Amino acid sequence: MIVKKPKITPFVMLLTASIAGMAAAINGNIPAISKAFPQIHLSSVELLSTIPSFFLIFATICTGLIAKKIGIKTTMLLGIAIDAFCGVLPAITHNFYIILTARALFGFGTGLFYPLLILMINDLYRGTGRVKLLGLQGGVQGLGGIVLTALSGQLLFLGWQVSFWAYACIFPILVLFYLFVPDISAQENTPSIDLPQSSLNGAVFSSKKFIRNRLIIFTATLFIAANLFMILGIKITAIMKLNGYGADKDGSIAIIFICIGSLAGGASFSLILKHFKTFTLILGLILLSAAMLLIGSAENIYTAAFAAALAGFSTKVILPYFLNELNNYRFDNKILGATIFLTAYNMGLALSPFTSMLIEYLPCVNTLGHIFYVNSLILIFLASVLFLYFIFSRQKKAI
C-alpha cells in the first residue's frame, strides 16, 4: 500500500526535526534566571539546560510502547504539543519548580516524536529521497538551534521570561504536521522493498545473529562518537582561552560553526553515502578525529572555527549513517532499532563530562590539549577496527 504524501510533507518533517535542536536555545539565559531566583542554588538553575536531555532518553525508551497503544502519528503529535506548551510555560509562571518540570517535559516531548520521525522517513520514502531526508533532518537540528538561540537572545532584552516565547514557533509546526504528514501506523511493520544503498552486497540482511552483532557494534560506536564529540563542545571555549587566542564570546562563535558544519554535513550525507557506501562511517570517524587534533593544536581562532565546523559536519555524517542502516535489516520492530541508536547517542552526550574527567586522570594527559589528542587516537583506533570488521564481513559474505 502506497501512502499519499503532499509535496509539502518533506518540508514539514524537516521543520519537526528542527525542534530537536531547540532545547539548548535558552542556555544563555541561565545567569538572568539565576538572578530572578536568588534563593535557588546556581547548580539547580543550571539543570534547566541539562534536564531535557535526561528526560529525552527516558521518553525514547517509552516511545515504542506508547506508539503501539495510540498510533505513530498521534504519539508524534502528542510529543510536539508537549514541546509547544512546555516551551512557553516558563514565560507565564514565576514558580521555579514548575519551570524545571516544564523543561523536563520538553525533553520528554522531543523523545516521543523524534525516533518516530526517523521511522516515518524510512517508511514514507525510498532510495535517494530517504537518504537526503535522513541527512537533512540532522542538519536542520543545528539550524533550529541557531535560529531559536538568536530569537531568544533578542527577546532576552525584554526580560528572561519573554525569551521563552520564542518556543511559540512550535505551535505552527504542530498544525502543519497534523495537516500535511500522513499516518503510517498501518504501515509500521511493512518491510522495505528497495535495495539498500549501504549494504555489503546489495541485499537486505535477515540473519538474526548478524543483526544482533551489528546492533551491538554500531550502538557502542555511536555512544563513543557522541561522547567524544560532546567533550569538544564542552571544552572548546576553555582551550581557546587557555591558548590565548579566544574569549568567552569566541566560544559562542565556535558553537555556531559546529551548527553550520552540522547543516553542511546533513545536506551532503546522501552524496557521501553514494560514493563511500559502507565506509561512510569510517570517513565520519576520521573527520571527527581530525577535528579533535586540530582543536588540540590550534593557535588561532580561524583554525578552531574550522575544526568546530568539521566536528559538526562529521557527526551529521555518523548519526544519519546509523539511522539509514536500519533499512538494511529486516527488523520486526524498527522503532526499537531507532530507539536503541538514539538512546546511545543521547547517553553519550549526557555522560561526556564524566568521560572527560576519566581521560584527565591518564598519565599521558598533562594539558587540556592532550585530552583532544587522546580523543583523536581513540577515534582513529575505532575507525581502524571498524574498517577491518567491514572488510572481514564483506569477505565472509562473498564466500
Side-chain angles (χ1 to χ4, degrees), residues 138 222 225-226 228-230 258 261-262 265-266 269 284-285 287-288 308-322 345 349:
L222 184 55
L228 299 182
F229 164 73
M230 194 59 180
I258 289 177
S262 298
F269 175 70
L285 292 171
L287 291 178
L288 185 54
L310 187 61
F313 184 96
S314 65
T315 56
K316 296 312 176 185
V317 171
I318 293 171
L319 180 58
Y321 172 84
F322 288 116
Y345 181 79
L349 297 179

Side-chain angles (χ1 to χ4, degrees), residues 92-309:
I92 57 177
T93 180
H94 289 276
N95 187 306
F96 175 79
Y97 296 102
I98 293 178
I99 294 173
L100 185 64
T101 302
R103 294 295 293 164
L105 288 175
F106 188 94
F108 187 87
T110 302
L112 280 184
F113 76 77
Y114 187 62
L116 298 178
L117 180 66
I118 303 304
L119 176 71
M120 196 169 264
I121 291 173
N122 285 338
D123 274 28
L124 291 179
Y125 298 92
R126 298 286 181 260
T128 303
R130 171 199 286 161
V131 176
K132 283 183 177 179
L133 272 179
L134 285 174
L136 285 172
Q137 64 81 26
V140 297
Q141 288 182 39
L143 183 61
I146 292 174
V147 172
L148 207 74
T149 298
L151 180 58
S152 176
Q154 293 303 310
L155 293 175
L156 185 59
F157 288 107
L158 301 176
W160 68 267
Q161 280 192 289
V162 178
S163 67
F164 280 93
W165 283 111
Y167 285 106
C169 69
I170 299 176
F171 284 103
I173 297 176
L174 175 65
V175 175
L176 289 171
F177 189 91
Y178 174 76
L179 293 175
F180 297 111
V181 177
D183 193 352
I184 64 164
S185 295
Q187 265 58 49
E188 61 183 331
N189 291 320
T190 303
S192 175
I193 60 173
D194 65 318
L195 291 177
Q197 297 191 27
S198 59
S199 61
L200 294 177
N201 63 346
V204 176
F205 301 127
S206 57
S207 166
K208 289 185 177 180
K209 182 179 179 181
F210 182 87
I211 292 173
R212 184 183 67 248
N213 292 341
R214 268 288 168 100
L215 276 177
I216 293 172
I217 293 170
F218 283 175
T219 301
T221 301
L222 184 55
F223 174 85
I224 294 170
N227 192 261
L228 299 182
F229 164 73
M230 194 59 180
I231 292 176
L232 183 146
I234 293 172
K235 299 288 187 182
I236 190 167
T237 303
I239 195 168
M240 289 169 68
K241 292 172 66 178
L242 183 66
N243 290 346
Y245 61 83
D248 288 334
K249 62 180 180 64
D250 297 316
S252 299
I253 293 173
I255 298 301
I256 290 175
F257 270 92
I258 289 177
C259 295
I260 293 172
S262 298
L263 182 60
S268 307
F269 175 70
S270 61
L271 183 63
I272 294 172
L273 185 65
K274 179 181 179 181
H275 290 286
F276 289 90
K277 296 183 170 60
T278 301
F279 299 101
T280 298
L281 175 58
I282 307 299
L283 175 65
L285 292 171
I286 291 174
L287 291 178
L288 185 54
S289 175
M292 295 288 180
L293 192 61
L294 284 172
I295 287 289
S297 59
E299 296 180 352
N300 57 70
I301 192 172
Y302 303 107
T303 303
F306 174 76

